[in-house]
Amino acid sequence: MKENKIKNIVFLKCHLKVGDLVWIKKYNNEKKYKNKQENIYVVIKKTLTKIYVLTCISTPPTEINWKFKYYPLNKIIYNLDKTIYIYTEKIDNLPKDRWIKKIGCINEIDFVTIKKFLTIINPSKILKKRNLKFNYGIGDVIFYQKQQYYIYEVTKKYYLTFSVNKKIKSNNKIFVNNSYYTFNFNNKVKIPKKAKIKLKDTFNTGEIELITNHQIEINKKINQEKHKNFLPMSIITHKVTKNNYLIISREKNILELLNINDFGDYFYYLLENNKCPYKFYRTISVYEYEEYVKKIDEFKLIYQLVKKEP
């Protein structure tokens, strides 16, 4: 192990880079201590005279609201004995006069997320903007023009977002990582990448999936409420063609439709489409409905007879 002993900062600067995982003994003379202790650190910044690190712990945090304070590193991905947690609230100097060795390097995805955690929670003046440079992506919540927005897609020039409400609405809230959020999925805003924005929150893959599923459920409820009067004996109008269609039957979200001006225009329509092109017009009487049914039967009979002709 003697060849791994670090004697000066120059050696450290030559052999370590930002993002490296470093293993260090806590004590210079471990013979004095019965329990041998060691720590894993993550290099977060290098200067001419110092190397700054974040400390890792092996015990899972017990705090209820520990998001941003700790970032887990999977033991399988990093070939560790157990999952470790990077403590982001405090930045330390690397102890350079103890036994040390490099055990790995943080991958790009994890390192970007750690930078985002530090941007949100750590007010330290040690890290400058250039040390925390990253690209915004899906799952980030940004502050723009006095409003918070959730990024659901990124294009070449824009962040596609919907707003995050400051007030939690009981009928549209989601519990993610020990906190409640309310997303206004209908208030979509394109924010230029050149705009002045600030990171307020970020979600991982599992949390993004929860939000996406929540959006699907909310849209279903909206569509169900919007189309609750799409029932048999109702006439709906196509928003573009202005054709009127009679709802002959409805089985859950499947509508049996007939163009009341063209009986040849008869089909089934799945109502779960979020971009429904129809709007409710009116409900007809039982007598009117029965008359339409008679005409439908007559049309079917004529169609069968024509089909049989040689």
Side-chain angles (χ1 to χ4, degrees):
M1 292 290 290
K2 288 184 179 180
E3 65 273 14
N4 292 325
K5 191 172 183 179
I6 307 304
K7 295 181 179 180
N8 55 64
I9 193 70
V10 175
F11 185 86
L12 276 173
K13 283 188 64 62
C14 291
H15 288 77
L16 295 179
K17 63 180 183 297
V18 173
D20 280 348
L21 287 170
V22 183
W23 182 85
I24 300 177
K25 289 284 185 182
K26 277 192 174 183
Y27 308 107
N28 291 329
N29 189 353
E30 62 182 28
K31 293 180 180 179
K32 293 183 179 180
Y33 302 93
K34 293 181 179 180
N35 298 321
K36 295 181 180 180
Q37 299 186 48
E38 60 273 346
N39 257 49
I40 295 175
Y41 296 87
V42 179
V43 178
I44 198 68
K45 179 181 177 180
K46 291 169 59 176
T47 67
L48 292 174
T49 57
K50 294 181 180 179
I51 294 179
Y52 296 99
V53 294
L54 298 173
T55 306
C56 299
I57 62 171
S58 58
T59 305
T62 57
E63 301 172 55
I64 295 176
N65 294 316
W66 63 275
K67 184 177 181 180
F68 304 133
K69 292 184 180 181
Y70 303 92
Y71 185 79
L73 294 182
N74 187 280
K75 64 179 182 179
I76 297 175
I77 294 176
Y78 291 98
N79 194 28
L80 301 168
D81 293 335
K82 60 174 70 174
T83 294
I84 60 175
Y85 301 83
I86 301 173
Y87 182 53
T88 60
E89 277 198 318
K90 184 182 178 183
I91 300 174
D92 296 309
N93 289 322
L94 179 69
K96 56 185 178 294
D97 55 348
R98 301 173 192 161
W99 293 97
I100 181 174
K101 67 176 179 179
K102 175 181 172 180
I103 62 172
C105 184
I106 304 294
N107 64 45
E108 183 63 23
I109 295 174
D110 284 337
F111 197 54
V112 167
T113 308
I114 292 167
K115 288 181 181 180
K116 290 178 179 179
F117 276 31
L118 289 166
T119 299
I120 294 169
I121 200 172
N122 200 312
S124 174
K125 294 181 180 180
I126 293 173
L127 299 176
K128 308 299 181 182
K129 285 186 177 180
R130 64 177 178 271
N131 304 125
L132 298 173
K133 190 175 180 180
F134 57 82
N135 293 323
Y136 291 93
I138 296 172
D140 289 339
V141 175
I142 57 177
F143 189 74
Y144 171 69
Q145 294 185 349
K146 300 181 180 181
Q147 172 66 48
Q148 291 189 30
Y149 295 92
Y150 174 88
I151 299 175
Y152 68 87
E153 190 177 338
V154 179
T155 67
K156 190 175 181 180
K157 295 183 178 180
Y158 296 95
Y159 299 115
L160 305 185
T161 72
F162 42 73
S163 61
V164 181
N165 295 331
K166 294 181 180 179
K167 293 183 179 180
I168 305 300
K169 297 182 179 180
S170 59
N171 62 340
N172 180 19
K173 65 181 180 181
I174 179 173
F175 191 71
V176 185
N177 205 315
N178 297 311
S179 297
Y180 280 106
Y181 299 86
T182 297
F183 299 99
N184 189 349
F185 299 114
N186 292 322
N187 184 24
K188 295 184 177 181
V189 178
K190 289 170 63 175
I191 301 176
K193 285 187 173 180
K194 294 181 179 179
K196 188 176 181 180
I197 59 178
K198 184 178 180 181
L199 185 68
K200 299 296 290 185
D201 204 342
T202 187
F203 296 98
N204 60 34
T205 304
E207 293 164 343
I208 292 170
E209 186 177 356
L210 282 175
I211 294 167
T212 301
N213 291 336
H214 180 61
Q215 182 181 12
I216 292 171
E217 288 302 315
I218 291 296
N219 286 337
K220 280 183 179 179
K221 289 180 181 179
I222 292 173
N223 287 333
Q224 288 171 359
E225 185 65 25
K226 187 189 300 182
H227 303 132
K228 67 180 180 181
N229 52 4
F230 278 32
L231 300 171
M233 295 177 56
S234 296
I235 293 178
I236 57 177
T237 303
H238 196 284
K239 297 175 184 177
V240 178
T241 65
K242 306 303 180 183
N243 290 330
N244 290 327
Y245 292 86
L246 172 66
I247 301 177
I248 300 172
S249 68
R250 177 174 179 172
E251 182 64 30
K252 293 183 179 180
N253 288 329
I254 300 177
L255 303 180
E256 184 181 6
L257 298 180
L258 173 73
N259 188 328
I260 62 176
N261 295 314
D262 180 5
F263 281 19
D265 189 9
Y266 168 86
F267 57 95
Y268 289 91
Y269 177 76
L270 181 62
L271 197 57
E272 286 184 340
N273 189 341
N274 291 332
K275 297 179 180 178
C276 179
Y278 301 99
K279 63 180 180 180
F280 177 78
Y281 178 50
R282 69 183 180 91
T283 301
I284 63 177
S285 66
V286 175
Y287 174 77
E288 287 180 284
Y289 180 74
E290 289 176 348
E291 288 298 310
Y292 275 118
V293 171
K294 287 179 183 179
K295 291 179 180 179
I296 293 168
D297 292 339
E298 291 174 4
F299 179 82
K300 286 181 178 179
L301 180 59
I302 294 171
Y303 175 77
Q304 290 175 358
L305 290 173
V306 172
K307 192 176 181 180
K308 288 181 180 179
E309 290 182 359

Coordinates of all heavy atoms in Angstrom, one line a residue, residues 245 248-249 256-259 262-268 296 299-300:
Y245 N -73.2 13.8 -36.5 CA -73.2 12.4 -36.4 C -74.1 12.0 -35.2 O -74.0 12.6 -34.2 CB -71.8 11.8 -36.2 CG -70.9 12.0 -37.4 CD1 -70.2 13.1 -37.5 CD2 -70.7 10.9 -38.3 CE1 -69.3 13.3 -38.6 CE2 -69.9 11.1 -39.4 CZ -69.2 12.3 -39.6 OH -68.4 12.4 -40.7
I248 N -75.3 6.1 -32.1 CA -76.3 5.0 -32.1 C -76.1 4.2 -30.8 O -77.1 3.8 -30.2 CB -76.1 4.1 -33.3 CG1 -76.3 4.9 -34.6 CG2 -77.1 2.9 -33.3 CD1 -76.0 4.2 -35.9
S249 N -74.9 3.9 -30.5 CA -74.6 3.2 -29.2 C -73.3 3.6 -28.7 O -72.5 4.2 -29.4 CB -74.7 1.7 -29.5 OG -73.6 1.3 -30.3
E256 N -70.6 4.2 -31.6 CA -71.1 3.8 -32.9 C -71.7 5.0 -33.6 O -72.7 5.5 -33.1 CB -72.1 2.7 -32.8 CG -72.6 2.1 -34.1 CD -73.7 1.0 -33.9 OE1 -74.1 0.8 -32.8 OE2 -74.1 0.4 -34.9
L257 N -71.1 5.5 -34.7 CA -71.5 6.8 -35.2 C -72.1 6.6 -36.6 O -71.7 5.8 -37.4 CB -70.4 7.8 -35.3 CG -69.7 8.1 -34.0 CD1 -68.5 9.1 -34.2 CD2 -70.7 8.8 -33.0
L258 N -73.1 7.5 -36.9 CA -73.7 7.6 -38.2 C -73.9 9.0 -38.7 O -74.4 9.9 -37.9 CB -75.1 6.9 -38.2 CG -75.9 7.0 -39.5 CD1 -75.3 6.1 -40.6 CD2 -77.4 6.7 -39.2
N259 N -73.4 9.3 -39.9 CA -73.5 10.6 -40.5 C -75.0 10.8 -40.8 O -75.5 10.0 -41.7 CB -72.7 10.8 -41.7 CG -72.6 12.2 -42.2 OD1 -73.6 12.9 -42.1 ND2 -71.5 12.6 -42.8
D262 N -75.5 11.3 -44.5 CA -74.9 10.3 -45.4 C -74.8 9.0 -44.7 O -73.9 8.8 -44.0 CB -73.5 10.8 -45.9 CG -72.9 9.8 -46.9 OD1 -73.5 8.8 -47.2 OD2 -71.7 10.0 -47.2
F263 N -75.8 8.1 -44.9 CA -75.9 6.9 -44.2 C -74.7 5.9 -44.6 O -74.5 4.9 -43.9 CB -77.2 6.2 -44.4 CG -78.3 6.8 -43.6 CD1 -78.2 8.1 -43.0 CD2 -79.5 6.1 -43.4 CE1 -79.2 8.6 -42.3 CE2 -80.5 6.7 -42.6 CZ -80.4 7.9 -42.1
G264 N -74.0 6.3 -45.6 CA -72.9 5.4 -46.0 C -71.7 5.7 -45.1 O -70.7 5.0 -45.0
D265 N -71.7 6.9 -44.4 CA -70.7 7.3 -43.5 C -71.0 6.7 -42.1 O -71.5 7.4 -41.2 CB -70.6 8.8 -43.5 CG -69.3 9.3 -42.7 OD1 -68.5 8.4 -42.3 OD2 -69.2 10.5 -42.5
Y266 N -70.7 5.4 -41.9 CA -71.0 4.7 -40.6 C -69.8 4.0 -40.1 O -69.1 3.3 -40.9 CB -72.1 3.7 -41.0 CG -72.4 2.7 -39.9 CD1 -73.3 3.0 -38.8 CD2 -71.8 1.5 -39.9 CE1 -73.5 2.1 -37.8 CE2 -72.0 0.5 -38.9 CZ -72.9 0.8 -37.9 OH -73.2 -0.1 -36.9
F267 N -69.4 4.2 -38.8 CA -68.2 3.7 -38.3 C -68.2 3.7 -36.8 O -69.1 4.2 -36.1 CB -67.0 4.5 -38.8 CG -67.1 5.9 -38.5 CD1 -66.4 6.4 -37.4 CD2 -67.8 6.8 -39.3 CE1 -66.5 7.8 -37.0 CE2 -67.8 8.2 -38.9 CZ -67.2 8.7 -37.8
Y268 N -67.2 3.1 -36.2 CA -66.9 3.0 -34.8 C -65.8 4.0 -34.4 O -64.8 4.0 -35.2 CB -66.7 1.6 -34.3 CG -67.9 0.7 -34.3 CD1 -68.1 -0.1 -35.4 CD2 -68.7 0.6 -33.2 CE1 -69.2 -0.9 -35.5 CE2 -69.8 -0.2 -33.2 CZ -70.1 -0.9 -34.4 OH -71.2 -1.7 -34.4
I296 N -82.0 3.6 -41.0 CA -80.8 2.8 -41.0 C -81.1 1.4 -41.4 O -80.4 0.8 -42.3 CB -80.1 2.8 -39.6 CG1 -79.6 4.1 -39.2 CG2 -79.0 1.7 -39.5 CD1 -79.2 4.3 -37.7
F299 N -81.7 1.4 -45.1 CA -80.5 1.6 -45.8 C -79.7 0.3 -45.9 O -79.2 -0.1 -46.9 CB -79.6 2.7 -45.2 CG -78.3 2.9 -45.8 CD1 -78.2 3.7 -47.0 CD2 -77.1 2.2 -45.3 CE1 -76.9 3.8 -47.6 CE2 -75.9 2.4 -45.9 CZ -75.8 3.2 -47.1
K300 N -79.7 -0.5 -44.8 CA -79.0 -1.8 -44.7 C -79.6 -2.8 -45.7 O -78.9 -3.5 -46.3 CB -79.0 -2.3 -43.3 CG -78.1 -1.6 -42.3 CD -78.1 -2.2 -41.0 CE -77.1 -1.5 -40.0 NZ -77.2 -2.1 -38.6

